[in-house]
Amino acid sequence: MKKPASKIRKEIAKLQEQLKQAETREAERIGRVALRAGLGNIEIEEADLLVAFEELAKRFCGANPGPTGKKGAGEDGSGEGHPKTLASGAVQGSAGEA
């Protein structure tokens, strides 16, 4: 039996809210790690920082790290895959290169 469009819209709205909450949690987690690594104190253009994060994502997520920095990626916290646990110096080493 097919669902009515109104019910599907409600489900989509609920899933979008869940996605937004999940992205917020992921962004906060990554932000906390970045601050602990000292990235909050560096002066770098956001575009350059995005490129560095994309390189880091490629390193830990393999060939499919998520969307690139085009069309506002990162504004909503999306694009994070399921990275492996970082070694203690991994983020700091990348920050020094950026």
Side-chain angles (χ1 to χ4, degrees):
M1 186 168 159
K2 295 185 179 183
K3 295 181 185 179
S6 61
K7 187 170 183 175
I8 294 171
R9 283 189 197 94
K10 286 180 184 178
E11 290 176 9
I12 289 171
K14 182 179 176 183
L15 290 172
Q16 286 175 330
E17 182 59 31
Q18 289 176 359
L19 176 61
K20 183 178 176 183
Q21 291 172 356
E23 289 173 340
T24 298
R25 284 190 308 270
E26 292 169 0
E28 289 172 349
R29 178 182 154 260
I30 291 168
R32 282 191 301 271
V33 172
L35 289 174
R36 285 195 330 232
L39 291 177
N41 298 326
I42 63 171
E43 292 188 27
I44 186 172
E45 293 292 324
E46 192 167 327
D48 294 334
L49 187 57
L50 179 59
V51 169
F53 279 145
E54 288 172 342
E55 291 171 2
L56 187 64
K58 286 178 188 175
R59 177 178 171 191
F60 289 97
C61 297
N64 197 8
T68 63
K70 297 180 182 88
K71 292 199 174 189
E75 292 175 6
D76 61 359
S78 66
E80 291 86 16
H82 298 286
K84 299 174 186 171
T85 303
L86 297 176
S88 62
V91 173
Q92 291 174 346
S94 295
E97 295 171 9

XYZ file of all heavy atoms in Angstrom:
716
model
N 0.832 -1.169 0.000
C 0.000 0.000 0.000
C 0.887 1.246 0.000
O 1.836 1.346 0.771
C -0.890 -0.013 1.249
C -1.887 1.088 1.287
S -3.054 0.718 2.602
C -3.677 2.320 2.883
N 0.562 2.191 -0.845
C 1.364 3.398 -0.966
C 1.028 4.388 0.142
O -0.113 4.483 0.584
C 1.141 4.044 -2.327
C 1.635 3.192 -3.461
C 1.495 3.925 -4.771
C 2.017 3.052 -5.893
N 1.965 3.741 -7.170
N 2.057 5.145 0.560
C 1.862 6.168 1.576
C 1.402 7.455 0.909
O 1.845 7.778 -0.193
C 3.182 6.459 2.297
C 3.731 5.309 3.094
C 5.019 5.729 3.768
C 5.669 4.577 4.474
N 6.924 4.959 5.103
N 0.577 8.212 1.593
C 0.197 9.513 1.038
C 1.378 10.478 1.088
O 2.277 10.354 1.935
C -0.943 9.988 1.944
C -0.857 9.159 3.177
C -0.135 7.889 2.823
N 1.384 11.430 0.175
C 2.490 12.392 0.072
C 2.700 13.148 1.378
O 3.838 13.432 1.769
C 2.225 13.368 -1.070
N 1.644 13.472 2.085
C 1.778 14.226 3.340
C 2.566 13.433 4.382
O 3.388 13.994 5.115
C 0.412 14.609 3.894
O -0.343 13.439 4.179
N 2.348 12.127 4.433
C 3.075 11.283 5.387
C 4.547 11.192 4.999
O 5.429 11.239 5.859
C 2.442 9.897 5.451
C 3.024 9.026 6.538
C 2.236 7.759 6.732
C 2.817 6.959 7.875
N 2.008 5.772 8.172
N 4.813 11.075 3.719
C 6.197 11.025 3.240
C 6.910 12.332 3.563
O 8.065 12.333 4.007
C 6.240 10.715 1.728
C 5.715 9.294 1.481
C 7.658 10.868 1.181
C 5.514 8.949 0.022
N 6.231 13.470 3.354
C 6.830 14.771 3.683
C 7.175 14.866 5.161
O 8.222 15.402 5.535
C 5.883 15.906 3.290
C 5.876 16.193 1.825
C 5.072 17.473 1.517
N 4.731 17.518 0.133
C 3.588 17.078 -0.413
N 2.642 16.572 0.358
N 3.390 17.141 -1.702
N 6.299 14.360 6.024
C 6.563 14.374 7.469
C 7.787 13.523 7.795
O 8.622 13.910 8.612
C 5.349 13.875 8.241
C 4.214 14.865 8.299
C 3.036 14.306 9.078
C 1.858 15.265 9.044
N 0.693 14.719 9.754
N 7.886 12.365 7.155
C 9.041 11.499 7.378
C 10.325 12.167 6.903
O 11.360 12.087 7.572
C 8.848 10.160 6.676
C 7.779 9.293 7.311
C 7.525 8.003 6.550
O 8.285 7.676 5.609
O 6.553 7.303 6.891
N 10.254 12.829 5.757
C 11.426 13.533 5.227
C 11.842 14.639 6.185
O 13.032 14.803 6.487
C 11.146 14.094 3.818
C 11.056 12.942 2.816
C 12.229 15.082 3.401
C 10.570 13.369 1.437
N 10.884 15.403 6.692
C 11.190 16.487 7.632
C 11.844 15.930 8.896
O 12.817 16.507 9.408
C 9.921 17.259 7.983
N 11.335 14.805 9.380
C 11.907 14.177 10.574
C 13.342 13.716 10.307
O 14.241 13.936 11.124
C 11.044 12.988 10.997
C 11.523 12.299 12.253
C 10.605 11.148 12.623
C 11.130 10.393 13.817
N 10.288 9.234 14.159
N 13.564 13.099 9.150
C 14.912 12.644 8.792
C 15.869 13.821 8.594
O 17.039 13.750 8.980
C 14.865 11.776 7.533
C 14.211 10.408 7.707
C 14.049 9.721 6.365
C 15.021 9.545 8.669
N 15.378 14.919 8.013
C 16.223 16.102 7.837
C 16.642 16.663 9.192
O 17.781 17.084 9.363
C 15.499 17.165 7.013
C 15.414 16.818 5.549
C 14.585 17.804 4.750
O 13.660 18.414 5.259
N 14.929 17.958 3.476
N 15.740 16.653 10.155
C 16.078 17.133 11.500
C 17.105 16.210 12.149
O 18.053 16.667 12.783
C 14.818 17.223 12.364
C 15.070 17.756 13.751
C 15.685 19.146 13.795
O 15.422 19.956 12.883
O 16.442 19.423 14.747
N 16.942 14.897 11.968
C 17.914 13.950 12.503
C 19.278 14.158 11.869
O 20.306 14.100 12.550
C 17.444 12.514 12.288
C 16.267 12.111 13.145
C 15.778 10.711 12.829
O 16.301 10.020 11.947
N 14.747 10.275 13.532
N 19.300 14.399 10.556
C 20.549 14.656 9.846
C 21.213 15.921 10.374
O 22.415 15.941 10.621
C 20.289 14.764 8.344
C 21.487 15.116 7.475
C 22.582 14.053 7.599
C 21.056 15.283 6.025
N 20.436 16.956 10.559
C 20.964 18.215 11.075
C 21.593 18.016 12.461
O 22.679 18.512 12.743
C 19.848 19.256 11.141
C 20.292 20.611 11.585
C 19.127 21.596 11.582
C 19.539 22.935 12.130
N 18.398 23.870 12.187
N 20.920 17.274 13.319
C 21.453 16.999 14.653
C 22.737 16.181 14.587
O 23.699 16.457 15.318
C 20.410 16.290 15.509
C 19.232 17.173 15.881
C 18.129 16.403 16.572
O 18.183 15.180 16.732
N 17.082 17.119 16.980
N 22.773 15.188 13.718
C 23.968 14.354 13.570
C 25.137 15.183 13.037
O 26.273 15.056 13.520
C 23.694 13.177 12.631
N 24.868 16.052 12.065
C 25.920 16.908 11.519
C 26.440 17.876 12.572
O 27.639 18.141 12.639
C 25.396 17.670 10.296
C 25.194 16.783 9.093
C 24.526 17.490 7.931
O 23.882 18.543 8.130
O 24.654 16.998 6.797
N 25.549 18.388 13.408
C 25.965 19.289 14.485
C 26.874 18.566 15.465
O 27.920 19.098 15.867
C 24.732 19.863 15.207
O 23.960 20.619 14.268
C 25.130 20.760 16.364
N 26.503 17.345 15.846
C 27.351 16.565 16.765
C 28.727 16.319 16.151
O 29.758 16.454 16.815
C 26.695 15.220 17.095
C 25.558 15.305 18.083
C 25.118 13.925 18.559
N 24.821 12.999 17.479
C 23.629 12.835 16.918
N 22.604 13.534 17.328
N 23.458 11.945 15.950
N 28.747 15.947 14.855
C 30.018 15.685 14.178
C 30.866 16.948 14.088
O 32.077 16.911 14.331
C 29.758 15.138 12.777
C 29.156 13.750 12.775
C 28.651 13.313 11.407
O 28.762 14.085 10.443
O 28.140 12.189 11.302
N 30.248 18.070 13.762
C 30.977 19.333 13.655
C 31.551 19.748 15.000
O 32.699 20.206 15.084
C 30.059 20.426 13.104
N 30.780 19.579 16.063
C 31.271 19.920 17.394
C 32.441 19.035 17.792
O 33.430 19.512 18.352
C 30.139 19.818 18.415
C 29.108 20.916 18.259
C 27.884 20.719 19.136
O 27.714 19.617 19.720
O 27.077 21.665 19.217
N 32.346 17.753 17.490
C 33.437 16.822 17.817
C 34.712 17.206 17.078
O 35.790 17.299 17.666
C 33.021 15.394 17.437
C 34.103 14.369 17.680
C 33.646 12.972 17.234
N 34.820 12.199 16.916
C 35.278 11.978 15.697
N 34.651 12.438 14.643
N 36.367 11.285 15.500
N 34.592 17.440 15.781
C 35.763 17.807 14.991
C 36.317 19.151 15.445
O 37.530 19.338 15.536
C 35.416 17.809 13.487
C 35.171 16.364 13.045
C 36.507 18.462 12.658
C 34.549 16.234 11.679
N 35.428 20.070 15.768
C 35.859 21.378 16.255
C 36.642 21.278 17.560
O 37.664 21.943 17.734
N 36.164 20.441 18.470
C 36.884 20.269 19.750
C 38.281 19.711 19.514
O 39.258 20.171 20.107
C 36.094 19.343 20.679
C 34.917 19.993 21.361
C 34.330 19.110 22.465
N 33.874 17.823 21.972
C 32.648 17.584 21.508
N 31.757 18.530 21.466
N 32.316 16.377 21.104
N 38.380 18.720 18.626
C 39.692 18.127 18.330
C 40.600 19.166 17.677
O 41.783 19.286 18.021
C 39.534 16.876 17.426
C 40.885 16.374 16.952
C 38.795 15.777 18.173
N 40.050 19.940 16.748
C 40.838 20.976 16.069
C 41.345 22.008 17.067
O 42.499 22.443 16.989
C 40.003 21.643 14.976
N 40.514 22.409 18.008
C 40.946 23.376 19.023
C 42.041 22.798 19.917
O 43.015 23.488 20.232
C 39.758 23.835 19.866
C 38.753 24.734 19.159
C 37.545 24.998 20.056
C 39.403 26.034 18.724
N 41.884 21.541 20.317
C 42.918 20.906 21.147
C 44.232 20.821 20.398
O 45.311 20.877 20.998
C 42.479 19.518 21.591
C 41.445 19.555 22.680
C 41.244 18.225 23.385
N 41.484 17.062 22.578
C 40.644 16.047 22.424
N 39.481 16.064 23.013
N 40.973 15.016 21.688
N 44.163 20.669 19.075
C 45.372 20.572 18.255
C 45.989 21.942 17.985
O 47.056 22.029 17.395
C 45.049 19.877 16.933
N 45.316 23.002 18.391
C 45.858 24.339 18.213
C 45.391 25.042 16.956
O 45.891 26.114 16.619
N 44.427 24.485 16.240
C 43.973 25.098 14.998
C 43.157 26.365 15.218
O 42.986 27.151 14.297
C 43.162 24.103 14.165
C 43.957 22.941 13.580
C 43.031 21.993 12.830
C 45.051 23.439 12.673
N 42.680 26.586 16.420
C 41.915 27.794 16.693
C 42.781 29.038 16.715
O 42.278 30.157 16.562
N 44.068 28.867 16.871
C 44.983 29.996 16.997
C 45.722 30.342 15.715
O 46.501 31.281 15.701
C 46.008 29.709 18.103
C 45.340 29.537 19.443
O 44.344 30.173 19.735
N 45.886 28.663 20.269
N 45.512 29.584 14.658
C 46.238 29.867 13.422
C 45.450 30.853 12.561
O 44.220 30.894 12.607
C 46.545 28.587 12.611
C 45.259 27.896 12.153
C 47.409 27.633 13.399
C 45.498 26.760 11.183
N 46.182 31.648 11.822
C 45.548 32.566 10.886
C 45.693 31.971 9.500
O 46.791 31.896 8.955
C 46.208 33.946 10.962
C 45.938 34.647 12.274
C 46.429 36.074 12.286
O 46.504 36.696 11.223
O 46.748 36.556 13.380
N 44.563 31.530 8.949
C 44.548 30.884 7.648
C 43.203 31.173 6.995
O 42.183 31.260 7.675
C 44.777 29.347 7.789
C 44.906 28.673 6.431
C 43.731 28.702 8.641
C 45.329 27.206 6.511
N 43.229 31.364 5.698
C 41.991 31.580 4.964
C 41.126 30.320 5.066
O 41.629 29.197 5.079
C 42.284 31.879 3.494
C 42.995 33.192 3.258
C 42.111 34.390 3.577
O 40.892 34.335 3.320
O 42.657 35.373 4.110
N 39.831 30.517 5.122
C 38.927 29.379 5.245
C 39.061 28.418 4.070
O 39.000 27.197 4.242
C 37.484 29.869 5.367
C 36.535 28.769 5.787
C 35.181 29.287 6.222
O 35.104 30.387 6.782
O 34.203 28.567 5.995
N 39.267 28.943 2.870
C 39.421 28.080 1.688
C 40.663 27.199 1.819
O 40.623 26.007 1.482
C 39.507 28.924 0.423
N 41.754 27.758 2.335
C 42.974 26.977 2.525
C 42.776 25.916 3.604
O 43.261 24.789 3.482
C 44.146 27.885 2.906
C 44.538 28.827 1.786
O 44.292 28.496 0.599
O 45.095 29.905 2.093
N 42.063 26.281 4.652
C 41.784 25.332 5.722
C 40.903 24.194 5.204
O 41.120 23.030 5.532
C 41.113 26.039 6.897
C 40.906 25.233 8.172
C 42.223 24.671 8.701
C 40.244 26.102 9.228
N 39.938 24.531 4.368
C 39.069 23.513 3.783
C 39.881 22.533 2.935
O 39.687 21.316 3.022
C 37.973 24.156 2.939
C 37.009 23.204 2.245
C 36.286 22.316 3.250
C 36.017 23.986 1.418
N 40.815 23.040 2.148
C 41.667 22.165 1.329
C 42.468 21.230 2.238
O 42.576 20.029 1.973
C 42.597 23.002 0.422
C 43.659 22.125 -0.217
C 41.789 23.717 -0.647
N 43.012 21.776 3.324
C 43.785 20.947 4.251
C 42.909 19.866 4.880
O 43.327 18.711 5.016
C 44.421 21.821 5.326
N 41.671 20.230 5.249
C 40.755 19.239 5.810
C 40.387 18.176 4.779
O 40.254 16.994 5.116
C 39.486 19.905 6.342
C 39.633 20.514 7.711
C 38.945 21.679 8.023
C 40.416 19.935 8.683
C 39.057 22.247 9.280
C 40.544 20.492 9.944
C 39.865 21.656 10.242
N 40.215 18.575 3.524
C 39.909 17.600 2.480
C 41.057 16.624 2.288
O 40.842 15.422 2.103
C 39.584 18.309 1.167
C 38.242 19.012 1.193
C 37.990 19.871 -0.028
O 38.953 20.219 -0.750
O 36.818 20.213 -0.266
N 42.288 17.123 2.368
C 43.450 16.240 2.264
C 43.494 15.275 3.447
O 43.796 14.094 3.279
C 44.730 17.073 2.198
C 44.874 17.849 0.901
C 46.023 18.841 0.911
O 46.761 18.909 1.920
O 46.185 19.550 -0.093
N 43.166 15.779 4.622
C 43.129 14.936 5.808
C 42.039 13.871 5.666
O 42.250 12.702 6.008
C 42.887 15.794 7.053
C 42.976 15.105 8.401
C 44.390 14.586 8.641
C 42.567 16.060 9.504
N 40.900 14.280 5.131
C 39.807 13.326 4.927
C 40.225 12.235 3.949
O 39.926 11.056 4.168
C 38.564 14.054 4.420
N 40.917 12.614 2.883
C 41.395 11.614 1.922
C 42.342 10.631 2.598
O 42.293 9.432 2.341
C 42.107 12.285 0.751
C 41.177 12.974 -0.203
C 41.968 13.645 -1.306
C 41.070 14.512 -2.175
N 41.844 15.250 -3.173
N 43.174 11.152 3.463
C 44.150 10.302 4.152
C 43.466 9.256 5.026
O 43.867 8.096 5.058
C 45.061 11.180 4.998
C 46.064 10.409 5.809
C 46.975 11.333 6.576
N 47.788 10.567 7.491
C 48.526 11.112 8.441
N 48.564 12.406 8.588
N 49.230 10.355 9.239
N 42.418 9.663 5.738
C 41.798 8.763 6.705
C 40.530 8.089 6.204
O 40.101 7.097 6.778
C 41.509 9.494 8.017
C 42.760 9.798 8.777
C 43.356 11.043 8.691
C 43.366 8.833 9.560
C 44.525 11.327 9.376
C 44.530 9.103 10.245
C 45.117 10.349 10.150
N 39.918 8.617 5.166
C 38.671 8.035 4.660
C 38.865 7.279 3.371
O 37.914 6.766 2.812
C 37.635 9.140 4.440
S 37.186 9.992 5.942
N 40.058 7.253 2.852
C 40.305 6.547 1.608
C 39.901 7.383 0.416
O 39.933 8.603 0.440
N 39.473 6.728 -0.616
C 39.183 7.400 -1.880
C 37.846 8.119 -1.875
O 37.538 8.842 -2.800
C 39.206 6.377 -3.010
N 37.014 7.936 -0.862
C 35.672 8.522 -0.873
C 35.433 9.365 0.377
O 34.612 9.012 1.215
C 34.634 7.396 -0.976
C 33.289 7.908 -1.406
O 33.141 9.070 -1.771
N 32.300 7.031 -1.367
N 36.107 10.530 0.512
C 36.003 11.305 1.738
C 34.724 12.104 1.876
O 34.442 12.617 2.923
C 37.188 12.258 1.650
C 37.375 12.456 0.190
C 37.033 11.118 -0.424
N 33.940 12.243 0.836
C 32.726 13.049 0.895
C 32.818 14.181 -0.090
O 33.700 14.213 -0.938
N 31.904 15.140 0.001
C 31.879 16.227 -0.966
C 33.118 17.098 -0.888
O 33.744 17.214 0.160
C 30.638 17.030 -0.591
C 30.099 16.462 0.650
C 30.835 15.213 0.966
N 33.452 17.715 -2.010
C 34.583 18.629 -2.033
C 34.144 19.987 -1.530
O 32.996 20.173 -1.174
C 35.147 18.766 -3.461
O 34.123 19.335 -4.283
C 35.607 17.433 -4.011
N 35.035 20.941 -1.551
C 34.756 22.266 -1.044
C 33.924 23.121 -1.971
O 33.840 24.310 -1.788
N 33.320 22.551 -2.949
C 32.533 23.320 -3.906
C 31.115 23.537 -3.390
O 30.581 22.730 -2.659
C 32.493 22.594 -5.244
C 33.869 22.458 -5.865
C 33.790 21.727 -7.189
C 35.164 21.556 -7.785
N 35.814 20.357 -7.339
N 30.516 24.636 -3.788
C 29.129 24.975 -3.483
C 28.831 24.941 -1.995
O 27.848 24.351 -1.549
C 28.159 24.073 -4.235
C 28.179 24.329 -5.711
C 26.946 23.793 -6.356
C 26.926 24.205 -7.814
N 25.680 23.912 -8.456
N 29.699 25.549 -1.186
C 29.410 25.743 0.232
C 29.557 24.520 1.103
O 28.971 24.466 2.169
N 30.288 23.519 0.681
C 30.484 22.361 1.538
C 31.163 22.811 2.816
O 32.004 23.680 2.830
C 31.344 21.311 0.833
N 30.751 22.222 3.909
C 31.318 22.582 5.194
C 30.460 23.568 5.956
O 30.565 23.683 7.152
N 29.590 24.293 5.292
C 28.743 25.245 5.972
C 27.766 24.544 6.885
O 27.385 25.051 7.915
C 27.968 26.099 4.960
C 28.863 27.037 4.176
C 28.102 27.779 3.090
O 26.862 27.645 3.017
O 28.743 28.484 2.320
N 27.329 23.356 6.507
C 26.364 22.643 7.319
C 27.009 21.504 8.102
O 26.301 20.717 8.708
C 25.227 22.112 6.455
C 25.706 21.135 5.402
O 26.917 20.877 5.325
O 24.867 20.629 4.660
N 28.356 21.395 8.027
C 29.045 20.343 8.760
C 29.049 19.025 8.053
O 29.429 18.019 8.622
N 28.596 18.958 6.830
C 28.531 17.703 6.111
C 29.866 17.359 5.495
O 30.782 18.147 5.486
C 27.466 17.765 5.023
O 27.849 18.695 4.047
N 29.947 16.172 4.965
C 31.132 15.754 4.257
C 32.078 14.953 5.109
O 33.088 14.495 4.638
N 31.756 14.747 6.356
C 32.625 13.945 7.188
C 32.251 12.486 6.995
O 31.096 12.123 7.069
C 32.474 14.292 8.672
C 32.993 15.649 9.023
C 31.977 16.744 8.829
O 30.785 16.435 8.714
O 32.389 17.892 8.775
N 33.264 11.664 6.775
C 33.029 10.234 6.656
C 33.154 9.602 8.029
O 32.822 10.201 9.033
N 33.657 8.417 8.062
C 33.910 7.746 9.328
C 35.404 7.528 9.437
O 35.906 6.449 9.142
C 33.153 6.414 9.386
C 31.682 6.590 9.315
N 30.947 7.068 10.376
C 30.797 6.401 8.310
C 29.676 7.151 10.025
N 29.572 6.762 8.777
N 36.131 8.567 9.849
C 37.579 8.462 9.877
C 38.062 7.497 10.943
O 37.386 7.266 11.934
C 38.032 9.882 10.185
C 36.885 10.510 10.874
C 35.649 9.855 10.301
N 39.247 6.982 10.691
C 39.899 6.152 11.681
C 40.389 7.043 12.807
O 40.474 8.248 12.670
C 41.087 5.432 11.038
C 40.689 4.525 9.898
C 41.913 3.968 9.224
C 41.535 3.177 8.000
N 42.667 2.783 7.203
N 40.714 6.461 13.931
C 41.214 7.228 15.051
C 42.526 7.895 14.671
O 43.401 7.269 14.100
C 41.432 6.307 16.272
O 40.199 5.661 16.562
C 41.906 7.087 17.469
N 42.647 9.175 14.991
C 43.849 9.933 14.654
C 44.971 9.604 15.622
O 44.753 9.459 16.812
C 43.569 11.436 14.742
C 42.530 11.998 13.788
C 42.310 13.476 14.091
C 42.986 11.834 12.356
N 46.168 9.511 15.097
C 47.337 9.416 15.950
C 47.523 10.771 16.607
O 47.111 11.791 16.083
C 48.557 9.039 15.119
N 48.179 10.819 17.746
C 48.266 12.064 18.504
C 48.898 13.195 17.731
O 48.524 14.347 17.899
C 49.021 11.831 19.819
O 50.337 11.403 19.524
N 49.813 12.955 16.842
C 50.452 14.028 16.104
C 49.898 14.249 14.706
O 50.347 15.109 13.991
N 48.886 13.482 14.312
C 48.399 13.549 12.940
C 47.826 14.919 12.596
O 48.145 15.487 11.583
C 47.360 12.467 12.704
N 46.976 15.444 13.455
C 46.363 16.737 13.161
C 47.402 17.838 13.268
O 47.459 18.727 12.448
C 45.175 16.994 14.119
C 44.646 18.408 13.944
C 44.078 15.997 13.856
N 48.260 17.771 14.273
C 49.264 18.816 14.455
C 50.223 18.857 13.281
O 50.607 19.924 12.831
C 50.032 18.575 15.752
C 49.143 18.804 16.971
C 49.851 18.439 18.248
O 50.884 17.796 18.239
N 49.274 18.844 19.368
N 50.588 17.698 12.734
C 51.475 17.670 11.587
C 50.830 18.326 10.389
O 51.460 19.058 9.649
N 49.556 18.115 10.177
C 48.861 18.737 9.052
C 48.717 20.217 9.258
O 48.782 20.989 8.323
C 47.465 18.111 8.897
O 47.597 16.756 8.551
N 48.508 20.652 10.494
C 48.331 22.077 10.763
C 49.619 22.834 10.474
O 49.584 23.957 9.990
C 47.903 22.298 12.220
N 50.744 22.227 10.748
C 52.012 22.897 10.493
C 52.274 23.077 9.018
O 52.960 23.986 8.608
N 51.722 22.179 8.185
C 51.931 22.269 6.751
C 50.997 23.277 6.110
O 51.279 23.811 5.072
C 51.680 20.896 6.117
C 52.669 19.859 6.559
C 52.256 18.485 6.078
O 51.330 18.359 5.276
O 52.881 17.510 6.534
N 49.848 23.524 6.723
C 48.845 24.401 6.125
C 49.263 25.852 6.148
O 50.018 26.330 6.861
C 47.505 24.241 6.841
